[in-house]
């Protein structure tokens, strides 16, 4: 119940990856790379608190094995870094700042360790539990312990540089690892895709399913026993209405495309409007929301992130600071025993320990909320009294209009919290109907709100000819030099030639108001490109989909084709400084390319390997992958090779692009 009450908290991803521009470190990175020059734990904690968050979970050790505290278990830790001359402890600094400012503390400890030579042996399990013990005994109370599902694969492993596979169901002996957590931190919930305390929602995109049930029965893949990293994760989006266990969902996402800080994502911070949308699609569906804020190389939350968080909080406060239901009267079709203990007054008292309910044999019921006067609203907040379970299986809301009831909203689950947001409604009374419940339903809160109308930012996209088109209902101003648009910036009137690519920012001005800034970064225009080689499985998945600047289409190679190469002719020589790939933008993960080789050529015959590597975490977070080349390379042709793909004999890719000097 305490975990449900937190609702919104921060994820902090900071490690050597921050300084190597990676999402997953290989494990061979030197601790000397870790040196946040202006690390400020209070700035990080206050950035979270000021956004309305009640807690923070720190990645104390990610997959690369580097520990942010002076652990006794490995030399691969902060004492070997230049940070504070080896005398620093990031975990302690974050924890102390959280205690000072009233935020709860959680710990992320990666079960996978790509650095240690012991990984894959029982000796590592002892090390892992020793690390867990240090974190859960030396830093005070912890509200959540976070276990990642990424386990086993290629790594440094003490210099072995090999792939190590483990049996995820048995290797960690999770039953005893969970027991250790409960012994050391009895008030902490344990997170994983399995639970047992709270579950991963099944996507890193920041939304849950609708309905989203707090009950859940984990199922293993291919009929096997379920385990961490071995569950039917898509079932977690909705949970199970009559699941065996109370394992509510935690929705996770990052304020940027990646989990660690990357400078090239400074213009890709989620807008305030996008954060508000995610708020309704996570907390508004009864889940908790953990939003990642990655500190930059200074050790600070970047200014762009704070600007977005600040505006997001302003919108949330403006919406929920006033409850339009206060002063209203509520009549129920049934009150349990006609007792004041269960009266409708409990729905407006802001006390989640009191509630309204019906007699045992009444499962279909309704509540009429009558306002003192005609009222405008576009948000309704509902809460069940969940100590008695998630009892409501169907609901609908009507408004009184033209002397009759008219339905404008309906759904299935409510649970800890349900936020309905829709078009503006104007009425003097609403009716909330409980349409399905297995037993007598309960509600502890009803509130009604008005979200202020926001001037939407413009929409930017590239046309087939390579030009930029911007659309909006107001006056659009834009910049091409990376600066923020002002009332003195150029006015958008016609499509903008943009062959070379780069960053464009635009903003709408209307009647003295202005929108948030829309920012888009484009690769080199593809209008002259030709696909020279790439097998395709069928016509609607042909190779031309790779260069159509449409994120929704994709190329798929033939299953029987072992050579999954893509060869492109630019039509002229370009000075390449990097490339980008976009995986298929659906929930399907089969065929996603995880490892690659990138070649360049001037004549299409002699090829030079320019870059090779992995796209880490691309399976769970299928965002655009931006790869910088070590030097500027002149090329007329490129060859992109899919070296490894996930769980398929074919490769799938939505877009391939290049950045030029």
């Amino acid at each position: 119940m305490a975990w449900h009450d937190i609702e919104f908290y921060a994820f902090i991803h900071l490690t050597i990856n921050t300084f190597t521009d990676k999402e997953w470190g290989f494990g061979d990175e030197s601790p000397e790379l870790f040196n946040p020059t202006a690390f400020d734990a209070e700035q990080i904690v206050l950035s979270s608190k000021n956004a309305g968050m009640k807690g923070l979970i720190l990645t104390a050790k990610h997959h690369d094995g580097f520990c942010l505290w002076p652990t006794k278990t490995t030399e691969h830790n902060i004492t070997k870094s230049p940070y504070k001359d080896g005398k620093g402890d990031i975990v302690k600094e974050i924890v102390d700042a959280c205690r000072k400012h009233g935020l709860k503390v959680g710990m992320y400890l990666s079960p996978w360790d790509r650095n240690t030579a012991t990984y894959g042996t029982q000796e590592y399990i002892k090390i892992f539990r020793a690390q867990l013990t240090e974190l859960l005994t030396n830093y005070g109370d912890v509200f959540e312990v976070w276990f990642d599902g990424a386990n086993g694969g290629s790594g440094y492993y003490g210099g072995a540089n090999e792939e190590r596979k483990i049996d995820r169901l048995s290797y960690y002996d999770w039953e005893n690892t969970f027991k250790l957590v409960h012994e050391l931190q009895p008030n902490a919930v344990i997170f994983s895709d399995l639970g047992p305390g709270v579950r991963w929602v099944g996507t890193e995109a920041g939304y849950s399913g609708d309905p989203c049930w707090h009950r859940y029965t984990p199922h293993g893949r291919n009929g096997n026993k379920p385990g961490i990293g071995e569950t039917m994760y898509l079932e977690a989006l909705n949970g199970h209405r009559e699941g065996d266990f109370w394992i509510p969902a935690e929705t996770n996402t990052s304020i940027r495309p990646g989990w660690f800080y990357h400078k090239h994502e400074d213009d890709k911070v989620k807008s305030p409007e996008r954060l508000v949308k995610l708020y309704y699609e996570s907390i508004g569906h009864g889940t908790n929301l953990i939003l990642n804020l990655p500190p930059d190389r200074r050790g600070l939350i970047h200014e762009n992130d704070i600007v977005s968080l600040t505006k997001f909080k302003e919108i949330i406060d403006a919406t929920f600071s006033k409850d339009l239901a206060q002063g209203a009267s509520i009549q129920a079709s049934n009150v349990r025993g006609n007792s004041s203990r269960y009266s409708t007054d409990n729905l407006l008292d802001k006390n989640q320990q009191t509630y309204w309910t019906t007699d045992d044999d009444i499962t279909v019921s309704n509540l009429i909320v009558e306002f003192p006067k005609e009222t405008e609203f576009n948000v309704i907040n509902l809460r069940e009294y969940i100590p008695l379970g998630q009892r409501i299986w169907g609901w609908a809301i009507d408004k009184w209009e033209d002397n009759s009831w008219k339905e404008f909203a309906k759904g299935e689950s409510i649970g800890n919290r349900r936020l309905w947001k829709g078009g503006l409604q104007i009425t003097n009374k609403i009716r909330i109907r409980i349409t399905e419940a297995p037993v007598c339903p309960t509600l502890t809160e009803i509130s009604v709100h008005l979200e202020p109308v926001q001037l939407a930012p413009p929409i930017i996209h590239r046309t087939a000819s390579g030009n930029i088109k911007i659309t909006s209902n107001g006056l659009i101003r834009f910049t091409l030099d990376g600066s923020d648009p002002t009332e003195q910036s150029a006015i958008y009137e016609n499509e903008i030639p943009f062959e070379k690519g780069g960053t464009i920012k635009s903003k709408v001005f209307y009647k003295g108001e202005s929108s948030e800034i829309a920012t888009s970064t484009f690769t080199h225009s593809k209008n002259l490109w030709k696909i020279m080689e790439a097998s395709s499985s069928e016509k609607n998945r042909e190779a031309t989909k790779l260069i159509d600047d449409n994120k929704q289409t994709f190329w798929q190679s033939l299953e029987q084709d072992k050579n999954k190469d893509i060869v492109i002719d630019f039509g002229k020589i370009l000075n390449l400084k990097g490339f980008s790939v976009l995986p298929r933008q659906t929930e399907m993960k089969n065929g996603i390319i995880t490892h690659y080789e990138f070649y360049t050529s001037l004549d299409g015959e002699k090829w030079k390997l320019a870059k090779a590597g992995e796209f880490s975490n691309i399976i769970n977070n299928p965002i655009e992958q931006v790869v910088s080349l070590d030097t500027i390379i002149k090329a007329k042709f490129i060859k992109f090779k899919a070296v490894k793909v996930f769980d398929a004999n074919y490769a799938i890719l939505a877009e391939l692009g290049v950045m030029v000097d």
Side-chain angles (χ1 to χ4, degrees):
M1 291 307 303
W3 178 87
H4 276 290
D5 186 55
I6 298 171
E7 284 195 335
F8 186 32
Y9 37 97
F11 221 167
I12 304 297
H13 276 66
L14 174 68
T15 189
I16 288 178
N17 294 346
T18 308
F19 300 90
T20 60
D21 213 25
K22 295 179 181 179
E23 281 288 285
W24 286 3
F26 190 66
D28 60 348
E29 299 83 9
S30 170
E32 293 183 2
L33 294 171
F34 185 81
N35 190 23
T37 53
F39 180 78
D40 187 341
E42 285 203 54
Q43 190 263 5
I44 293 170
V45 168
L46 287 174
S47 297
S48 308
K49 183 176 182 178
N50 292 340
M53 302 183 192
K54 296 181 182 178
L56 179 154
I57 295 179
L58 175 68
T59 52
K61 183 193 80 171
H62 203 249
H63 311 324
D64 54 83
F66 181 75
C67 298
L68 294 180
W69 77 102
T71 178
K72 296 178 181 178
T73 64
T74 176
E75 293 290 300
H76 199 55
N77 71 67
I78 199 168
T79 65
K80 303 302 179 183
S81 78
Y83 178 67
K84 291 192 174 180
D85 296 324
K87 296 180 174 60
D89 185 343
I90 295 291
V91 175
K92 184 178 188 305
E93 291 188 60
I94 288 288
V95 168
D96 288 349
C98 284
R99 308 286 186 222
K100 178 179 178 180
H101 295 288
L103 266 65
K104 296 183 181 296
V105 176
M107 298 291 184
Y108 170 116
L109 182 69
S110 172
W112 188 18
D113 192 316
R114 304 174 91 177
N115 170 264
T116 179
T118 64
Y119 186 78
T121 71
Q122 286 305 302
E123 182 62 26
Y124 172 69
I125 301 303
K126 296 177 183 177
I127 293 172
F128 176 60
R129 288 180 179 163
Q131 292 174 349
L132 194 58
T133 300
E134 289 177 349
L135 291 172
L136 300 186
T137 57
N138 296 337
Y139 299 99
D141 291 339
V142 170
F143 84 94
E144 181 171 326
V145 179
W146 218 96
F147 292 126
D148 203 302
N151 291 296
S154 61
Y156 175 68
Y157 303 131
N161 294 311
E162 62 187 15
E163 185 167 345
R164 293 185 181 178
K165 296 182 178 180
I166 49 99
D167 183 345
R168 297 182 182 182
L169 299 180
S170 63
Y171 178 58
Y172 294 100
D173 183 17
W174 283 114
E175 183 177 348
N176 283 308
T177 301
F178 293 161
K179 182 179 178 182
L180 175 65
V181 173
H182 291 312
E183 289 174 352
L184 299 177
Q185 292 285 342
N187 292 323
V189 297
I190 298 173
F191 167 95
S192 77
D193 52 354
L194 179 70
V198 298
R199 73 181 191 265
W200 179 42
V201 78
T203 175
E204 295 181 356
Y207 64 87
S208 74
D210 183 15
C212 190
W213 306 103
H214 297 323
R215 290 166 66 176
Y216 180 57
T217 305
H219 294 126
R221 298 179 186 175
N222 303 316
N224 295 325
K225 175 183 174 183
I228 294 181
E230 290 292 333
T231 61
M232 300 290 287
Y233 59 89
L234 287 179
E235 292 185 357
L237 273 170
N238 297 99
H240 303 108
R241 190 176 73 175
E242 298 178 79
D244 294 338
F245 308 101
W246 190 273
I247 309 178
E250 178 183 277
T251 302
N252 63 325
T253 195
S254 180
I255 197 168
R256 291 160 172 258
W259 289 94
F260 288 93
Y261 174 81
H262 307 288
K263 184 173 177 56
H264 70 261
E265 293 180 353
D266 282 351
D267 63 353
K268 294 181 174 64
V269 177
K270 287 183 173 64
S271 69
E273 292 80 9
R274 176 63 177 161
L275 294 177
V276 169
K277 185 174 186 290
L278 295 178
Y279 185 92
Y280 282 96
E281 293 175 347
S282 56
I283 293 172
H285 290 170
T287 80
N288 280 11
L289 173 61
I290 179 169
L291 178 66
N292 182 60
L293 307 177
D296 59 22
R297 293 183 180 184
R298 298 170 299 174
L300 303 172
I301 304 302
H302 193 274
E303 293 81 357
N304 293 6
D305 304 46
I306 292 176
V307 167
S308 188
L309 288 169
T310 300
K311 180 62 176 177
F312 156 79
K313 183 63 161 51
E314 289 176 0
I315 298 172
I316 294 297
D317 286 349
T319 303
F320 294 101
S321 60
K322 184 176 182 180
D323 177 8
L324 301 172
Q326 292 297 310
S329 63
I330 303 182
Q331 300 296 320
S333 59
N334 180 269
V335 174
R336 187 177 185 84
N338 287 318
S339 169
S340 60
R341 179 181 178 184
Y342 304 111
S343 80
T344 57
D345 291 343
N346 296 333
L347 298 170
L348 300 176
D349 64 4
K350 303 300 181 184
N351 182 353
Q352 292 184 39
Q353 302 309 309
T354 63
Y355 60 96
W356 160 83
T357 189
T358 64
D359 291 324
D360 279 345
D361 59 343
I362 303 296
T363 59
V364 176
S365 53
N366 65 69
L367 297 150
I368 296 177
V369 181
E370 186 164 358
F371 305 106
K373 60 181 180 179
E374 197 166 64
T375 300
E376 296 183 350
F377 62 89
N378 52 18
V379 174
I380 294 178
N381 170 60
L382 302 174
R383 290 184 187 270
E384 286 186 69
Y385 182 66
I386 59 172
L388 293 179
Q390 194 171 6
R391 293 168 165 231
I392 296 173
W393 289 1
W395 57 269
I397 309 177
D398 313 314
K399 67 177 178 178
W400 186 252
E401 185 176 87
D402 297 332
N403 295 316
S404 64
W405 290 110
K406 295 186 178 180
E407 181 182 296
F408 64 88
K410 65 179 180 179
E412 295 181 48
S413 64
I414 292 178
N416 184 59
R417 192 175 188 189
R418 176 66 197 218
L419 292 172
W420 169 84
K421 178 184 175 184
L424 186 68
Q425 307 295 324
I426 304 174
T427 186
N428 69 328
K429 57 184 176 181
I430 60 173
R431 181 175 65 180
I432 299 167
R433 290 181 285 124
I434 310 302
T435 59
E436 184 178 4
V439 290
C440 59
T442 71
L443 282 177
T444 183
E445 183 177 61
I446 296 173
S447 61
V448 180
H449 308 274
L450 178 64
E451 181 184 285
V453 175
Q454 305 294 320
L455 189 59
I459 298 172
I460 308 171
H461 72 275
R462 179 181 249 161
T463 67
S465 62
N467 293 340
I468 298 300
K469 186 175 182 179
I470 312 177
T471 56
S472 176
N473 292 327
L475 177 69
I476 303 170
R477 294 184 182 271
F478 70 95
T479 63
L480 301 176
D481 61 1
S483 63
D484 293 344
T486 68
E487 291 185 271
Q488 285 70 51
S489 299
I491 297 175
Y492 173 81
E493 295 176 314
N494 299 303
E495 292 183 7
I496 306 167
F498 214 54
E499 181 184 20
K500 188 175 180 180
T503 297
I504 184 167
K505 295 186 176 184
S506 64
K507 192 173 186 178
V508 177
F509 294 85
Y510 182 73
K511 292 185 178 180
E513 301 291 330
S514 62
S515 72
E516 292 298 311
I517 297 171
T519 304
S520 294
T521 300
F522 296 94
T523 57
H524 190 278
S525 175
K526 306 170 187 175
N527 63 315
L528 297 179
W529 293 14
K530 291 183 179 179
I531 303 290
M532 306 303 293
E533 178 183 332
S535 68
S536 301
S537 60
E538 51 191 88
K539 187 171 181 60
N540 68 340
R541 298 179 182 179
E542 59 194 4
T544 54
K545 305 299 183 186
L546 288 164
I547 57 174
D548 64 357
D549 278 321
N550 185 342
K551 296 180 179 181
Q552 304 310 314
T553 63
F554 59 88
W555 158 78
Q556 179 174 322
S557 70
L558 289 166
E559 286 196 44
Q560 65 269 26
D561 192 349
K562 294 183 179 179
N563 178 9
K564 298 177 177 61
D565 293 354
I566 301 162
V567 178
I568 293 175
D569 179 357
F570 297 139
K572 61 181 178 179
I573 295 176
L574 301 177
N575 294 319
L576 303 186
K577 64 178 183 180
F579 69 94
S580 67
V581 298
L582 181 74
R584 175 171 54 176
Q585 298 297 287
T586 70
E587 293 296 339
M588 298 299 294
K589 302 179 186 298
N590 304 60
I592 287 181
I593 300 167
T594 61
H595 292 72
Y596 69 89
E597 291 176 354
F598 183 80
Y599 297 83
T600 63
S601 174
L602 287 170
D603 58 9
E605 296 182 3
K606 297 178 181 178
W607 295 96
K608 174 185 177 182
L609 178 62
K611 201 78 174 181
E614 68 172 337
F615 298 128
S616 54
N617 199 34
I618 194 172
I619 303 302
N620 293 324
N621 192 24
I623 61 173
E624 182 181 41
Q625 309 290 310
V626 178
V627 180
S628 298
L629 301 180
D630 298 330
T631 60
I632 304 296
I633 300 176
K634 289 184 178 296
K636 185 174 181 289
F637 300 85
I638 58 169
K639 180 191 294 183
F640 180 83
K641 182 185 290 288
V643 176
K644 289 185 181 180
V645 298
F646 178 74
D647 201 23
N649 295 323
Y650 50 83
I652 287 181
L653 195 60
E655 288 291 319
L656 179 61
V658 297
M659 288 76 73
V660 301
D661 187 42

